[in-house]
Amino acid sequence: MEEIDIEGGGENGFRVRKYLPVLANDGAVHEISPIDSGSTASSASSFPDQPSNIRKINVGPGVNGSSDAKEGNAPHQQQPNGTEQESKLELFGFDSLVNILGLKRMTGEQVAPSSPRDGEDIPIIAGQPDKMGTMMGVFIPCLQSILGIIYYIRFSWIVGMAGIGGSLLLVALCGICTFLTSISLSAIATNGAMKGGGPYYLIGRALGPEVGVSIGLCFFLGNAVAGALYILGAVETFLKAVPAAGIFKGTITIAVNGTAVAQPIQSPSSHDLQIYGIVVTIILCLIVFGGVRMINRVAPAFLIPVLFSLICIFLGVILARKDHPAEGVTGLSLETLKENWSSDYKKTNSAGIPETDGSVTWDFNSLVGLFFPAVTGIMAGSNRSSSLKDTQRSIPVGTLAATLVTSAMYLVSVILFGAVASRDKLLTDRLLTATIAWPLPSLIKIGIILSTMGAALQSLTGAPSLLAAIANDDILPILNYFKTTDGSEPHAATFFTAFLCAGCVVIGNMDLITPTVTMFFLLCYAGVNLSCFLLDLLDAPSWRPRWKFHHWSLSLLGALLCIVIMFLISWSFTVISLALASLIYKYVSIKGKAGDWGDGFKSAYFQLALRSLRSLGANQVHPKNWYPIPLVLCRPWGKLPENVPCHPKLADFANCMKKKGRGMSIFVSILDGDYHECAEDAKAACKQLSTYIDYKNCEGVAEIVVAPNMSVGFRGIIQTMGLGNLKPNIVVMRYPEIWRRENLTEIPSTFVSIINDCIVASKAVVIVKGLDEWPNEYQKQYGTIDLYWIVRDGGLMLLLSQLLLTKESFESCKIQVFCIADDDADAEVLKTDVRKFLYDLRMHAEVFVITMKWDAQTDGGSPQDEALDALASAQQRIDDYLTGMKAAAERDATPLMADGKTVVVNEKQVEKFLYTTLKLNSTILKYSRMAAVVLVSLPPPPLNHPAYFYMEYMDLLLENVPRILLVRGYHRDVVTLFT
């Protein structure tokens, strides 16, 4: 990266100082700000080797002013002798970019966070040593949860009941549902930083706290019940592997397929399942109380037996022969495959053993409810969101990889199980996977026990974290008992989860538990799909997910499929689940604390308000829901044809500030005169302007205001225009490039008055220079969009660059961000922070940090000579203007007056400002001469300086730059890294 390093000479005895950031108590900051007051800075160092007609500028330590605690968070920087150094970028007011200290202010201190967790300061430095990656943090937990008890002791039974054809349809239906949900999950998870809470955090931030808490609590119950399911599976496998361990002996004698010969089938007693299940629950909870870090280290080891057991199962299927000692195992046989292709639904007892007069009737719908928990492990990775290094990369890759791998394995297993054993064997041998395994069935039983114990451990770990995350959001006061502090374990939530899990274990029947788990998980999946559907459909500027392979139609299909599966399984369970979620929703609405998380519903309300002009209230808009509402000032600063009420390119530029044309612009023109005399003219002008806006295909409204002059008219507009949150938030106007050829007293004073009014009214400002050359939608631009990000503007300049890229004319451009640093030590830290900040904002840009040293010696050359000539000309014009002011003051015996007010001119400070703009202009020309468009921070008009001086500063800053946008924010964040 090339840096500007202008070495200064000491031959004239001048001491050269390094450029340092603007300090909070720098007097120059206060004296130049149009709002804050301060004192005048004294002078210090000079710049040698300047032409004789350029006055030397002395810059010294600034006079201490009152510090601003809100805007100055940087510690005081002192020289060895104890005196503070000052920044030469004081022209831009308040805190400079390098003074943000890692950009934590913009990322951590969001606008009025209603959720306590959204207001936390979070570090944006990557590479946390205790975080997990994609493999260990997402893929393995998902794989371990999906390949659980259902596959080992229920899947072969499902194949025997539904047949190969029905089982393939069953697996495909459930696999498509989870795959679509994984896509929606990937899109939402990559739309910003993600804290603890997994899918609850995503749903809550997308659909609001009421929906998030209701679905989150149901998902918590689903995880707690799933833990009981896995524990019962492990205990059942253990009792079948070691029948002597059973306390209550029980053997069921049945007749299969109506045969006359009764066959004894060993089935564990329900009392044994209850007793052993409670013991295992207590043991696992003790492990969970040991800490999540220990679990994260131990849990991956449970996957090794799973993988080993899968290899043994597939080897056993391949090596099985017709003379296999196990009765009913035919080996891979086409004849067996044909016999098992169709379904054969039977009545069974409560343990799933076929009986002619069984109490349980099975069909395809009930099998969906039984099998679906086998594919519900896709959220295991997102539940670990707070423990991942990079959620935006790990969650999509790990979740989708686990979904595709397990779905393919299930489909292959359907065919293999259906072709290796007879239907009677499939229905009666619940441990067929162990029976056919090679070389020893005991290995499979050990693998089943360890895998189900690991899956149960995942559930008992994820459920308390989920409950603690809901409690920490402080929405429901009743959940305050489960709150946790940062870094502490959710012991209270773990104890409550263990109590629920033990209660489900007492039921002792897996087939009765699985439909409950299925409903809660499907409800959560539907919430994830609906969240992505709403966010994708609204397509707000904050919706910029890194995962691009998504569409609102896929999310809608996934949500509908979840609801259809719920009703397929059991309409009664569906109604109960929805009623429970509705009750929680109603309870949260009544008892819960209100919060604005920038959810999709709020965004939808905001868009409806933009279109219907209904008030959204006076509350400040969340950065995720922030939309630019430009107030386009149609003042041409020149002559236009009589039939053209607005500059032709202003409407094109206003469209560039909207994403896909969404939003509203307010075009304002001011008629000089008396309102009673010009009312009809104003109506005609408004109609003409509205027609022209429609002709330019720009969504917006036209307003004409009659006022004695432009300054008075604009001041009234800026105070009254808009309704509630539909007030314009950005003032857009053309830079008056022709001000020298017009009335020198009117244009500068009016222009500066407009900028000051915008600052007082907390409106952002965008000034376009080079509007005549602004491209329309058919003119393709190439090259770069260069941002000179000098002051913290809430991310407005970054957002404008992203909105430009959405237009066809700029879509081929690339963004470059140039940051001004003081010295080489600040440069690398600032570059790292800005890169990480842009990554978290899902913004693709190349970052350059330019180190500027503020002495006068240059590297020579014609461009620098031209710049110095421009500086000398501007200085001469200012001297002439100042001489005239002094002469008028002496003649009238009055203080110095300009623009109708008293001014205090510090000539050395004026020259310092001129030299600052000269340096910045040279930097822009050096790096961005061929850029498609340049964006630079707009400095505020200095206090007590004539408007004529400010115009000279701006002209020197914009010299020879063909197309540039001057941008100033309004101390509110318009971007956020949170999802």
Side-chain angles (χ1 to χ4, degrees), residues 677-757:
E677 298 176 358
C678 303
E680 295 300 322
D681 294 339
K683 293 179 182 178
C686 185
K687 184 177 180 180
Q688 184 185 24
L689 184 57
S690 297
T691 304
Y692 187 78
I693 293 173
D694 294 337
Y695 167 75
K696 296 293 291 184
N697 294 323
C698 184
E699 292 185 1
V701 296
E703 294 290 343
I704 302 295
V705 176
V706 181
N709 55 64
M710 186 175 179
S711 297
V712 174
F714 183 82
R715 194 161 297 163
I717 290 171
I718 206 67
Q719 295 181 73
T720 60
M721 186 66 65
L723 182 65
N725 272 332
L726 297 182
K727 290 181 179 179
N729 46 34
I730 299 180
V731 176
V732 179
M733 60 180 171
R734 181 187 183 188
Y735 183 77
E737 301 173 51
I738 46 85
W739 71 279
R740 295 190 192 281
R741 300 193 300 269
E742 300 291 333
N743 190 330
L744 294 180
T745 58
E746 177 187 359
I747 291 184
S749 61
T750 303
F751 184 76
V752 171
S753 174
I754 291 174
I755 296 178
N756 283 329
D757 290 343

Side-chain angles (χ1 to χ4, degrees), residues 656-676:
C656 289
M657 301 179 67
K658 305 171 188 175
K659 188 174 181 180
K660 298 183 180 179
R662 295 184 177 93
M664 180 180 65
S665 301
I666 303 176
F667 289 79
V668 175
S669 187
I670 301 173
L671 293 182
D672 296 338
D674 182 77
Y675 176 73
H676 295 281

Side-chain angles (χ1 to χ4, degrees), residues 606-653:
F606 191 74
Q607 287 199 30
L608 291 175
L610 288 176
R611 297 180 181 276
S612 60
L613 297 182
R614 291 187 291 123
S615 175
L616 286 176
N619 294 330
Q620 191 168 301
V621 178
H622 194 279
K624 286 165 56 179
N625 298 335
W626 189 89
Y627 286 80
I629 308 178
L631 177 67
V632 182
L633 186 59
C634 297
R635 183 76 169 189
W637 306 110
K639 301 295 183 181
L640 289 177
E642 293 183 359
N643 59 341
V644 179
C646 175
H647 193 287
K649 294 300 181 66
L650 265 180
D652 296 332
F653 178 76

Side-chain angles (χ1 to χ4, degrees), residues 867-889:
L868 292 177
D869 291 340
L871 175 64
S873 301
Q875 189 177 49
Q876 185 62 46
R877 288 191 297 269
I878 287 179
D879 288 341
D880 295 341
Y881 186 87
L882 186 59
T883 301
M885 289 174 54
K886 291 180 178 179

Side-chain angles (χ1 to χ4, degrees), residues 565-587:
I565 293 177
M566 290 177 69
F567 280 97
L568 278 178
I569 296 172
S570 172
W571 67 268
S572 57
F573 271 93
T574 302
V575 172
I576 294 174
S577 301
L578 294 177
L580 177 61
S582 300
L583 288 176
I584 298 176
Y585 178 89
K586 189 65 177 178
Y587 181 81

